[in-house]
């Protein structure tokens, strides 16, 4: 089974190039994989906001999960997502690759929470859209681990305190 990306450095560069100007240099993406273990993260000023771990980590934390590939990614992501932000590093890579081929506004409305995170950090989402999202307040119903990215972007854009 091939991985859903060609090179991590290329994917990281693309993700960071798409960041809103106010987040460039503040948001970084991290990924490492070795043997059957790995981890991925989204950091803000070197603080991990979203942590992704291997399937083995989930087994250790009593989450019922077997590493899934292909069409099973969406189902697995939804089954294992938890407010602490725990998803596998392979799902992180998969959805980053999906994000590159998804309209940013479709990603913002996606049921997939990781796509929403990538989208709200994206520079193509402008202040008017962010203001609308803030005023509607629907983001408040998202898990804290996702909501924090909306609040971060609102704060960085001067939309919310």
């Amino acid at each position: 089974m091939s991985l859903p990306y060609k090179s991590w450095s290329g994917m990281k560069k693309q993700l960071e190039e798409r960041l809103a100007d106010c987040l460039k240099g503040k948001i970084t993406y991290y990924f490492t994989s070795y043997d059957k273990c790995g981890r991925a993260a989204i950091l803000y000023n070197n603080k991990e906001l979203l942590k992704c771990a291997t399937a083995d980590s989930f087994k250790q934390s009593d989450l019922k999960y077997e590493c899934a590939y292909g069409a099973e990614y969406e189902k697995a992501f939804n089954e294992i997502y938890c407010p602490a932000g725990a998803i596998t590093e392979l799902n992180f890579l998969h959805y980053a690759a999906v994000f590159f081929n998804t309209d940013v506004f479709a990603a913002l409305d996606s049921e997939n929470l990781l796509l929403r995170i990538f989208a709200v950090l994206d520079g193509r989402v402008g202040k008017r859209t962010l203001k609308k999202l803030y005023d509607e307040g629907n983001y408040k119903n998202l898990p804290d681990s996702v909501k924090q990215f909306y609040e971060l972007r609102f704060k960085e854009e001067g939309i919310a305190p």
Side-chain angles (χ1 to χ4, degrees):
M1 173 60 65
S2 64
L3 294 174
Y5 67 101
K6 291 182 181 177
S7 79
W8 167 243
S9 60
M11 182 176 275
K12 175 181 168 134
K13 182 179 177 186
Q14 278 186 288
L15 285 169
E16 291 179 354
E17 285 173 349
R18 290 184 182 209
L19 287 170
D21 287 342
C22 63
L23 297 175
K24 288 185 177 176
K26 296 178 181 180
I27 292 285
T28 52
Y29 297 95
Y30 173 83
F31 174 80
T32 189
S33 183
Y34 41 93
D35 199 11
K36 292 184 179 179
C37 298
R39 67 192 286 307
I42 301 175
L43 294 84
Y44 173 70
N45 291 333
N46 295 320
K47 178 184 174 198
E48 286 188 349
L49 297 183
L50 183 75
K51 301 172 186 178
C52 308
T54 62
D56 289 340
S57 297
F58 290 118
K59 289 175 186 172
Q60 291 171 7
S61 63
D62 295 329
L63 289 174
K64 306 291 184 227
Y65 178 72
E66 292 292 331
C67 193
Y69 294 93
E72 292 296 311
Y73 272 116
E74 188 77 31
K75 182 176 183 259
F77 180 89
N78 291 328
E79 288 175 3
I80 65 168
Y81 192 82
C82 68
I87 57 173
T88 70
E89 84 286 3
L90 292 178
N91 280 342
F92 180 89
L93 293 175
H94 173 75
Y95 285 113
V98 168
F99 178 66
F100 295 141
N101 297 306
T102 303
D103 175 79
V104 70
F105 297 103
L108 257 182
D109 290 333
S110 175
E111 290 184 23
N112 182 283
L113 300 175
L114 193 52
L115 287 178
R116 283 186 176 211
I117 291 171
F118 290 133
V120 80
L121 300 176
D122 195 294
R124 295 173 291 171
V125 176
K127 281 191 176 185
R128 282 186 293 198
T129 301
L130 290 168
K131 180 79 168 109
K132 182 180 174 189
L133 291 171
Y134 179 77
D135 291 343
E136 289 173 350
N138 295 334
Y139 72 94
K140 293 177 183 177
N141 298 323
L142 296 170
D144 289 345
S145 57
V146 178
K147 184 171 46 176
Q148 70 181 336
F149 289 98
Y150 282 76
E151 292 170 345
L152 172 66
R153 180 77 190 274
F154 297 150
K155 178 183 159 209
E156 288 289 335
E157 294 285 3
I159 292 171

